């Protein structure tokens, strides 16, 4: 479904992503793990069209998208839940969700999508008229995920959804990621919480200093001694 | 008491025009963090459009107002497209200086095209003055105040209720996240310039009716005062711009009423300084530290 090949992304003179290749098949949960500064977010920004790559290619459903503008990427079915949530303060919870559906024209099915989102995250329904800025960190993460779901994506990119959350919220978030996947959405999950990410992932890639160092199924990587030492605290 | 009421009426009429202008400053600043120094000149163009459309096309007031709004909206969008968009990723000071350049271009361009002299604005409406409780209030004043308030309410509805209005707010708080939900930044910014410039165009026609006299440099001082109004209200805040506009209008007429006409502009800046000392972010501003 998504094929990234030899991708290079720079910030001026700084090379953040150095010839990265990986792919995501339809229906999978694929995780990219790596330490701070490994280039994970940069990679997602390139896929979402917020940053231009210097070389290499990104292919989505057999179309090259490395030069496609962000709104068209969303329209094509790729939604990102950015690192740090980036909900819209000053807009209510419901308005944030409405913005998630900005490009949708199928009004009839929209009500259905709100329903789905509120089913995943009942707290959002309860808080729908509240300013999104007043939500707790965990609730904001839910809102950011709900907002991405509103576009009805085929592929969802999640950038460290568990960052800064209490363990109880983390478990809930991971459960919902699995539920979203089971409902038919392909997931590319970026995490520093490597253990939980690898547990739910079909496959994973380990990224370090802008390069893919290892790859394998979730179980393989969990069992890999190098991975255990570097990312699983053991 | 009577003079107080009279000055309040005059101040509100003038203030509503500053408020309309201040809205454009604040919306554009909110979305691209640019102080659009050419905004006062859009108001001048609106006044000139009103002048020509009434004199030569025999438009009535409503038609002159609406067409001025439309024409100015288009001009605003064109200016953004050619002058500011190419500088979107440059240092802010570059865009700021460009805005000053656009302002000079419009002022001198109009002086060249139509002449620098002042001309009298056609009276599209027969002035009738009503006397009530010893106060004098003209139908033009009522019209200005009414139109301005109607436009402000309309703008508030657009910003608060419509999808484009919400997209505007989303882009002003977080342009990256806005793109991630599929909002097109360029369209949203154009939309913002269109709205702000339409308000300026309306203000230009209204001021023509009020003061009867227009010239190519008429946008300079009101432009600066409306900018001050936007800052006093809290730059980026829409209700703040309206309130700031009324404050400046009332202040200016009050200063004139007590016989200090010569100092009316100085007082405006004095109040600006005082308010910024007490409330650095303006009356409605959020107190956020800004990286410049
Ligand atoms: N705006 C920027 N300008 C310059 N360099 C940047 C910028 N953003 C990121 N970088 C650099 O690019 C590299 C990769 O950053 P990136 O944000 O992609 O890492 P990450 O893997 O997402 O890290 P984290 O886990 O901390 O989110 C880092 O070395 C970082 O310093
Ligand atoms: Mg990151």
């Amino acid at each position: 479904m998504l094929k990234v090949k030899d991708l290079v992304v720079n910030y001026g003179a700084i090379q953040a992503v150095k010839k990265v290749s990986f792919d995501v098949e339809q229906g999978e949960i694929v995780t990219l793990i790596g330490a701070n500064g490994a280039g994970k977010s940069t990679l997602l920004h390139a896929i979402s069209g917020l940053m231009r790559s210097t070389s290499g290619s990104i292919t989505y459903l057999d179309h090259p998208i490395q030069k496609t503008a962000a709104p068209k990427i969303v329209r094509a079915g790729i939604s990102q839940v950015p690192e740090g949530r980036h909900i819209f303060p000053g807009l209510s919870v419901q308005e944030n969700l409405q913005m998630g559906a900005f490009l949708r024209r199928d009004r009839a099915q929209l009500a259905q999508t709100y329903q789905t989102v509120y089913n995943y995250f009942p707290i959002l329904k309860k808080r729908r008229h509240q300013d999104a800025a007043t939500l707790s960190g965990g609730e904001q993460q839910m809102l950011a995920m709900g907002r991405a779901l509103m576009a009805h994506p085929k592929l969802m990119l999640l950038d460290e959804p568990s960052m800064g959350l209490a363990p109880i919220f983390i478990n809930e978030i991971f459960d919902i990621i699995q539920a979203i996947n089971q409902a038919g959405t392909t997931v590319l999950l970026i995490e520093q919480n490597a253990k939980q990410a690898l547990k739910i992932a079909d496959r994973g890639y380990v990224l370090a200093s802008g390069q893919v160092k290892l790859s394998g199924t979730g179980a393989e990587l969990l069992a890999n001694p190098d991975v255990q030492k570097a990312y699983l605290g053991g | 008491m009577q003079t107080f009421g009279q000055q309040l009426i005059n101040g509100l009429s003038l203030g509503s025009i500053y408020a309309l202008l201040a809205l454009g400053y604040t919306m554009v600043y909110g979305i691209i963090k640019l102080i659009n120094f050419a905004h006062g000149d859009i108001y001048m163009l609106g006044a000139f459009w009103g002048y020509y459309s009434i004199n030569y096309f025999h438009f009535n007031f409503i038609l002159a107002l609406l067409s001025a709004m439309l024409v100015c909206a288009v001009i605003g969008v064109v200016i953004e497209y050619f002058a500011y968009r190419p500088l979107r990723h440059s240092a802010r000071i570059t865009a700021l200086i460009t805005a000053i350049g656009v302002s000079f271009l419009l002022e001198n361009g109009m002086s060249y095209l139509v002449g620098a002299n002042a001309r009298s604005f056609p009276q599209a409406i027969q002035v009738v003055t009503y006397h009530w409780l010893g106060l004098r209030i003209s139908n033009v004043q009522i019209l200005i105040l009414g139109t301005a308030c109607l436009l402000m309410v309309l703008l508030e509805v657009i910003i608060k209720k419509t999808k484009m209005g919400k997209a505007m707010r989303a882009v002003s708080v977080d342009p990256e996240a806005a793109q991630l939900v599929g909002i097109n930044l360029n369209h949203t910014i154009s939309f913002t310039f269109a709205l702000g410039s339409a308000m300026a165009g309306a203000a230009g026609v209204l001021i023509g009716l009020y003061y009867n006299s227009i010239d190519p440099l008429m946008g300079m001082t009101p432009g600066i005062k409306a900018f001050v109004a936007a800052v006093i209200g809290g730059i980026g805040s829409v209700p703040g711009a309206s309130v700031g506009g009324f404050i400046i209008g009332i202040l200016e007429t009050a200063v004139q009423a007590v016989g200090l006409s010569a100092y009316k502009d100085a007082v405006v800046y004095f109040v600006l300084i005082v308010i910024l000392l007490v409330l650095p972010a303006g009356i409605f501003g959020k107190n956020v530290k800004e990286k410049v």
Side-chain angles (χ1 to χ4, degrees):
Chain A
M1 177 176 224
L2 181 76
K3 232 180 181 57
V4 172
K5 197 154 187 313
D6 296 331
L7 197 72
V8 176
V9 189
N10 297 328
Y11 291 99
I14 305 167
Q15 203 167 61
V17 173
K18 305 166 188 162
K19 286 207 155 204
V20 165
S21 302
F22 69 93
D23 52 74
V24 181
E25 298 297 332
Q26 186 114 30
E28 279 188 316
I29 298 182
V30 171
T31 186
L32 291 175
I33 57 176
N36 292 113
K40 307 178 298 288
S41 301
T42 308
L43 201 52
L44 284 202
H45 278 20
I47 298 172
S48 282
L50 286 187
M51 280 194 75
R52 285 282 156 262
S53 48
T54 310
S55 62
S57 67
I58 309 173
T59 315
Y60 168 71
L61 297 174
D62 302 322
H63 292 287
I65 57 162
Q66 66 269 20
K67 289 196 167 61
T68 309
K72 281 197 177 143
I73 302 253
V74 177
R75 201 188 289 279
I78 303 180
S79 283
Q80 185 185 148
V81 183
E83 177 178 348
R85 294 143 203 152
H86 286 270
I87 49 115
F88 300 121
L91 271 69
S92 72
V93 167
Q94 192 170 331
E95 286 173 332
N96 266 269
L97 294 178
Q98 192 191 355
M99 287 298 102
F102 189 77
L103 292 173
R104 284 188 56 181
R105 296 281 173 268
D106 51 339
R107 280 172 161 255
Q109 278 107 304
L110 206 54
Q112 179 63 47
T113 312
Y114 274 106
Q115 203 49 55
T116 313
V117 170
Y118 287 144
N119 280 344
Y120 285 133
F121 309 110
I123 188 78
L124 294 184
K125 186 167 191 182
K126 209 166 126 200
R127 304 237 185 281
R128 65 186 183 278
H129 298 304
Q130 214 166 299
D131 184 338
T134 64
L135 298 184
S136 77
E139 290 163 353
Q140 290 192 5
Q141 184 59 49
M142 294 177 181
L143 179 57
M145 289 171 67
R147 185 180 65 186
L149 284 172
M150 288 305 296
H152 201 21
K154 299 188 180 85
L155 172 64
M156 199 159 159
L157 315 175
L158 292 137
D159 197 347
E160 303 200 30
S162 74
M163 186 170 66
L165 301 188
I168 178 155
F169 269 124
I170 297 185
N171 289 334
E172 190 175 345
I173 296 282
F174 276 98
D175 286 346
I176 288 168
I177 292 171
Q178 279 184 294
I180 290 169
N181 178 247
Q182 267 145 31
T185 309
T186 307
V187 172
L188 176 59
L189 171 65
I190 288 199
E191 263 301 338
Q192 289 207 37
N193 198 329
K195 196 171 191 169
Q196 259 164 312
L198 288 171
K199 266 189 199 155
I200 66 165
D202 296 296
R203 293 184 302 113
Y205 294 83
V206 177
L207 211 65
S209 344
Q211 289 179 311
V212 172
K213 299 289 183 200
L214 275 172
S215 65
T217 65
E220 278 166 12
L221 289 176
L222 267 177
N224 183 306
D226 291 340
V227 174
Q228 285 182 346
K229 206 160 108 210
Y231 303 103
L232 304 175
Chain B
M1 194 60 218
Q2 207 158 308
T3 24
F4 175 79
Q6 187 62 53
Q7 294 315 321
L8 190 64
I9 291 170
N10 298 347
L12 284 173
S13 314
L14 186 61
S16 64
I17 289 172
Y18 289 145
L20 281 182
L21 260 185
L23 286 166
Y25 278 106
T26 227
M27 286 196 296
V28 165
Y29 184 85
I31 205 148
I32 53 170
K33 308 292 175 269
L34 167 74
I35 296 161
N36 181 12
F37 279 111
H39 192 62
D41 303 302
I42 305 266
Y43 150 96
M44 174 272 292
L45 292 178
F48 271 87
W49 174 266
Y51 172 85
Y52 285 108
S53 67
I54 293 169
N55 271 348
Y56 297 101
F57 309 148
H58 306 292
F59 280 9
N60 62 21
F61 164 73
I62 298 282
L63 213 54
L65 184 83
L66 293 179
S67 59
M69 289 175 71
L70 189 70
V71 167
C72 288
V74 172
I75 294 171
V77 170
V78 169
I79 289 175
E80 190 276 327
Y81 185 88
F82 286 106
Y84 305 146
R85 188 169 298 185
L87 302 172
R88 186 88 48 82
H89 302 288
S90 316
R92 264 202 229 176
I93 189 76
T94 317
L96 207 64
I97 291 168
T98 305
I100 296 172
V102 171
S103 170
F104 284 158
L105 178 74
L106 295 178
E107 286 165 9
N108 294 307
M110 279 302 278
S111 298
Y112 176 77
L113 284 176
V114 303
N117 55 315
R119 62 214 70 201
S120 59
F121 198 83
Q123 284 323 89
I125 287 182
Q126 192 67 44
V127 182
V128 185
T129 306
Y130 305 104
H131 296 267
W132 178 65
L133 297 177
L135 301 176
R136 284 181 312 118
I137 180 162
S138 74
N139 57 343
V140 170
Q141 283 179 312
I142 296 174
L143 190 71
I144 289 173
L145 200 57
T147 310
C149 289
L150 188 74
L151 288 175
M152 282 186 257
V153 169
L154 196 69
L155 186 70
E156 179 73 5
V157 170
I158 291 175
I159 293 174
K160 282 273 140 69
K161 300 286 178 209
T162 69
K163 197 166 152 186
M164 258 333 258
K166 290 171 194 172
M168 267 173 65
R169 287 188 283 147
V171 170
S172 27
V173 294
D174 197 332
E176 285 215 337
Q179 284 176 281
L180 286 179
V181 297
I183 294 171
N184 185 317
L185 289 192
N186 288 336
H187 293 174
T188 314
I189 292 167
S190 296
F191 182 75
T192 308
F193 270 87
L195 276 184
S197 306
M199 294 293 152
V205 173
L206 294 177
I207 201 74
L209 280 183
Y210 197 41
Y211 281 160
N212 293 331
S213 165
I214 64 170
D215 68 88
L217 300 185
M218 64 181 276
M220 293 171 78
T221 313
I224 292 173
K225 284 186 191 153
F227 169 61
V228 169
V231 173
I232 286 178
I235 189 112
S237 156
V238 169
S242 306
V243 171
F246 283 113
I247 290 178
I248 298 289
I250 290 169
L251 201 70
E252 197 178 313
T253 28
V255 172
Q256 274 174 300
V258 297
L260 296 170
S261 288
Y263 298 102
K264 67 178 180 153
D265 294 350
V267 168
V268 167
Y269 302 121
F270 179 71
V271 168
L272 172 72
I273 293 168
V274 171
I275 290 203
L276 288 184
L277 284 176
V278 184
L279 296 166
I283 299 171
F284 285 78
K286 293 194 194 73
N287 217 334
V288 282
K289 288 197 192 69
E290 244 218 283
K291 294 178 281 183
V292 179

